[in-house]
Amino acid sequence: GISYMKSYIHHLDEWLRRRIRQIIWKRWKRTRTKYKSLVQLNVPKQKAWEWANTRKGYWRIACSYILHRAITNKILEQTGLKNLTCLFERAHLNY
């Protein structure tokens, strides 16, 4: 049961991070806002402009290379998102 739960928690953690990236991308409604925010997150200007103008859906962009490099797991943890996999491993360290 613990081994099944570990993989379930891991997949849930991945899904939550992707969903939060989607919400952040959706919050940046306009192309100009997306561009400026990506540049602030140290994305090269050319790539920021390409991705700000994309017509792909929010869920697809949330899993994109550029958004994963801009909004890293470290940034999400600094804003308050807990890493569920680490919490689970600490709770079941003795098993």
Side-chain angles (χ1 to χ4, degrees):
I2 291 175
S3 64
Y4 172 73
M5 195 64 178
K6 183 177 180 180
S7 63
Y8 179 74
I9 293 287
H10 179 71
H11 290 302
L12 181 67
D13 195 29
E14 288 176 348
W15 184 86
L16 278 173
R17 281 189 250 118
R18 184 175 177 184
R19 179 75 172 143
I20 290 174
R21 284 186 183 100
Q22 177 195 9
I23 291 169
I24 291 170
W25 187 253
K26 214 173 201 180
R27 192 179 288 171
W28 300 338
K29 291 181 182 245
R30 299 172 63 194
T31 303
R32 186 176 14 179
T33 308
K34 291 175 186 177
Y35 173 74
K36 286 180 181 180
S37 299
L38 287 173
V39 169
Q40 278 183 339
L41 292 169
N42 298 326
V43 174
K45 289 184 179 183
Q46 178 62 32
K47 285 293 180 187
W49 185 248
E50 288 174 15
W51 282 95
N53 284 308
T54 188
R55 291 179 180 231
K56 295 179 182 174
Y58 295 115
W59 188 246
R60 188 165 177 190
I61 293 296
C63 195
S64 69
Y65 174 81
I66 204 82
L67 208 57
H68 271 271
R69 297 302 173 260
I71 305 170
T72 61
N73 294 344
K74 187 177 180 181
I75 290 174
L76 291 176
E77 287 178 12
Q78 287 174 351
T79 58
L81 180 69
K82 301 291 183 191
N83 189 342
L84 297 179
T85 307
C86 290
L87 291 174
F88 179 78
E89 288 176 359
R90 268 191 256 141
H92 294 288
L93 191 62
N94 297 330
Y95 292 105

